[in-house]
Each structure stands twice: as structure tokens, then as C-alpha cells.
């Protein structure tokens, strides 16, 4: 009977594990194999070169420039996105004024605001990039942002935006925040809904302010969700391929100011036909992503709070 139980469990586990190995693990292994060659994309053109691609990568100024931009986005995008998501979720769930017979409630119109915040999530990333590319259009007549600034008398703040080397990357990062904050509003709202209202009511009746309620109750009880969101948002920040490809000047410009690792990999493989070198970039990206995830889960770990 015991032996039959194990066969029954294996019957459910083996097929999905095989599918996972073929479609997930196998491509990673093949990418590492290709990274050790000088393959140009043609059948039979691969020649084993060992670690030459990784040495070349280490000495590449273009790669380090792209990695630096990803690190900038990694430091900015998750922090701002999660902070805004927590703030908006808190206001929509427990940040409203006290009403009759209700001690804890969200702001008026919370459901409508939730829909507004989540709306970018139902739009394709390509459409988002095209919309914001036109918003950032430097033409004072055609660009929405510059037109708005001119209409309110702030002509001095008009800028080339995506064409300005010093701010182009931050403009794209702002779009990334705008496009993802709604997801975290809904995620954190769902997590807050599981927190017993009695805890909030007891804190408010004891005279706790909204500030103390958030930092002493909400944030500690949501920390596991925040930690998971931080890893997920960090992976998105390390990608940023679609936004940069569509929105940046000449894909990564001006003058490499918006170049990121995935875009550098794409250009190396499909423009320069250096698939072995591009695979080495992919392996490096995997290492950076895994290091970020492990460090985040390690240093952001806190003792779980039960309620």
C-alpha cells in the first residue's frame, strides 16, 4: 500500500518536472554552453573558446555602462513603486476619515481609485511605451508634457526629456513606476484585507495616529508580501528591455545614456550576430538577478508575525 502511494505521487510529479526541465532548465544549460563558443548563429559555425567571452565582457565598457544603468534603476524603481503602492493601498483601505459606526475605513471612492491605479496593468507594455514616448515629445506643440508646462507658464521647465542625456534614464524609470504601481496597490490591498480590523480599531481607540498605525501595524504584518514584491520588482528593473527599446533615442541613446543589459544583449545577438558573446551576457544577467534575489531575501528577512 505504501509503495502504491509513492507511485501515485510520482505519477503526478514526474510529468510536470519533465516539462519544466525541457522548457526551463534546458534553455539555461544551452545558453551556458553557447556562451563558451563564438557561435555566429549559423549552423556549424560554433567554435569552443572557453572563457574568452566572459573575459571580453569583463573588459567591455559598453557592458559596464549598461549594468550601471540597471543598478540605478534597481535602486530607484522598486523603492518608489513599492512605497507608492503601500501608501495608496493604506489610504484606500484604512486611511479614510472615521464615519458613523465605522472606526476603520478607506478614503471615499476607494473602488474607483483602485480601478484607476490598476488600469495601466491591462495595457500592453508596448502601448504604454508609445503613449509616454509621445508625452515626452520635445516639440512644444506636439509633446503633451511640454505643452502642459507651456500652458501653465512654466516654459523654463520644458526639456528634451528622452533626448537629454542627464535625465533620459530617469524619464523611462518614471514610466516603469507608473506602469507597475497599480499592481502593488491591488496586491497590498488584498494583503491588508486579511489583517483583522480589530487590530486597527484598538490602535486608533488608543490614540495611535495614521503614521504610527502604518509603521507599527500595517508594514510589519505585510512584510512578507513587501519582500516578495521587492524581488519581483527588482527583476523587472533589471529587464526594462521593451521600454528602453521603444522609448530611447536610437535604442539606448542619447550616447548610451539609457543602455541596459537586455538591450545590449539583443543588439549583440541580432544586430551583430555574436550569439556566443550575447549568451555570455545572458549568463551574467542571470548571475546578477540571482544575487539580487538571494541578498534581498537574506537581508530583508524578519521574524514572522502571527495574528
Amino acid at each position: 500500500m505504501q509503495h502504491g502511494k509513492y507511485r501515485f505521487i510520482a505519477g503526478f510529479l514526474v510529468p510536470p518536472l519533465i516539462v519544466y526541465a525541457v522548457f526551463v532548465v534546458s534553455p539555461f544549460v544551452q545558453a551556458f554552453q553557447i556562451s563558451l563558443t563564438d557561435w555566429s548563429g549559423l549552423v556549424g559555425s560554433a567554435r569552443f573558446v572557453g572563457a574568452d567571452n566572459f573575459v571580453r565582457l569583463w573588459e567591455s565598457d559598453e557592458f559596464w555602462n549598461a549594468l550601471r544603468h540597471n543598478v540605478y534603476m534597481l535602486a530607484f524603481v522598486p523603492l518608489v513603486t513599492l512605497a507608492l503602492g503601500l501608501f495608496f493601498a493604506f489610504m484606500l483601505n484604512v486611511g479614510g476619515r472615521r464615519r458613523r459606526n465605522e472606526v476603520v475605513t478607506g478614503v471615499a471612492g476607494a473602488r474607483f481609485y483602485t480601478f484607476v491605479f490598476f488600469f495601466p496593468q491591462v495595457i500592453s507594455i508596448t502601448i504604454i511605451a508609445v503613449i509616454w514616448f509621445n508625452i515626452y515629445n520635445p516639440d512644444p506643440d506636439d509633446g503633451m508634457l511640454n505643452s502642459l508646462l507651456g500652458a501653465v507658464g512654466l516654459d523654463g521647465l520644458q526639456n528634451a526629456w528622452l533626448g537629454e542625456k542627464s535625465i533620459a534614464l530617469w524619464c523611462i524609470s518614471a514610466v516603469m513606476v507608473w506602469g507597475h504601481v497599480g499592481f502593488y496597490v491591488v496586491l497590498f490591498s488584498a494583503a491588508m484585507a486579511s489583517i483583522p480590523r480589530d487590530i486597527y480599531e484598538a490602535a486608533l481607540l488608543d490614540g495611535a495616529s495614521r503614521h504610527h498605525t502604518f509603521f507599527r501595524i500595517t508594514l510589519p504584518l505585510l512584510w512578507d508580501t513587501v519582500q516578495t514584491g521587492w524581488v519581483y520588482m527588482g527583476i523587472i528593473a533589471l529587464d526594462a528591455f521593451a521600454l528602453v527599446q521603444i522609448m530611447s533615442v536610437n535604442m539606448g541613446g542619447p550616447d548610451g545614456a539609457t543602455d541596459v543589459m537586455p538591450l545590449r544583449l539583443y543588439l549583440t545577438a541580432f544586430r551583430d550576430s555574436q550569439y556566443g558573446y550575447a549568451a555570455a551576457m545572458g549568463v551574467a544577467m542571470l548571475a546578477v538577478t540571482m544575487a539580487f534575489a538571494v541578498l534581498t531575501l537574506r537581508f530583508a528577512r524578519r521574524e514572522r508575525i502571527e495574528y
Side-chain angles (χ1 to χ4, degrees), residues 21-247:
V22 171
F23 293 101
V24 179
V25 178
S26 175
F28 282 110
V29 175
Q30 292 179 47
F32 181 74
Q33 291 175 337
I34 294 172
S35 71
L36 301 177
T37 70
D38 62 353
W39 186 42
S40 63
L42 301 177
V43 177
S45 64
R47 181 172 59 89
F48 181 79
V49 295
D52 288 359
N53 286 326
F54 294 97
V55 173
R56 180 183 171 189
L57 199 64
W58 182 264
E59 298 173 348
S60 172
D61 292 336
E62 290 182 338
F63 175 76
W64 286 109
N65 177 60
L67 177 59
R68 183 171 63 254
H69 293 156
N70 274 117
V71 172
Y72 289 160
M73 299 177 79
L74 184 60
F76 171 80
V77 173
L79 178 63
V80 176
T81 304
L82 296 183
L84 290 176
L86 281 168
F87 173 76
F88 291 137
F90 183 77
M91 295 303 295
L92 293 178
N93 287 272
V94 296
R97 295 181 178 179
R98 301 183 186 184
R99 302 174 186 173
R100 183 179 300 176
N101 299 326
E102 287 186 90
V103 177
V104 179
T105 184
V107 297
R111 291 185 178 180
F112 172 74
Y113 291 130
T114 301
F115 169 78
V116 171
F117 288 135
F118 191 76
F119 182 71
Q121 287 294 307
V122 303
I123 305 176
S124 166
I125 190 67
T126 304
I127 297 176
I128 289 176
V130 171
I131 291 173
W132 279 93
F133 179 82
N134 286 279
I135 291 175
Y136 284 134
N137 189 328
D139 192 316
D141 297 322
D142 296 332
M144 184 181 298
L145 183 54
N146 279 343
S147 297
L148 178 61
L149 291 173
V152 297
L154 297 176
D155 304 68
L157 296 179
Q158 292 179 337
N159 211 314
W161 305 116
L162 297 175
E164 183 65 37
K165 186 176 179 179
S166 61
I167 63 174
L169 184 67
W170 305 116
C171 291
I172 296 176
S173 298
V175 176
M176 190 177 295
V177 172
W178 179 86
H180 291 90
V181 69
F183 171 80
Y184 291 98
V185 171
V186 174
L187 177 66
F188 294 144
S189 294
M192 289 180 191
S194 66
I195 300 176
R197 293 290 176 176
D198 295 346
I199 299 177
Y200 287 115
E201 292 174 358
L204 294 176
L205 290 174
D206 287 340
S209 64
R210 299 295 187 189
H211 176 272
H212 288 93
T213 301
F214 176 78
F215 285 101
R216 297 298 180 86
I217 297 176
T218 304
L219 188 58
L221 293 177
L222 294 185
W223 189 252
D224 287 346
T225 306
V226 173
Q227 186 184 48
T228 303
W230 196 287
V231 173
Y232 177 67
M233 198 64 217
I235 293 173
I236 292 175
L238 287 171
D239 183 5
F241 169 75
L243 287 177
V244 173
Q245 185 193 30
I246 297 172
M247 296 181 64

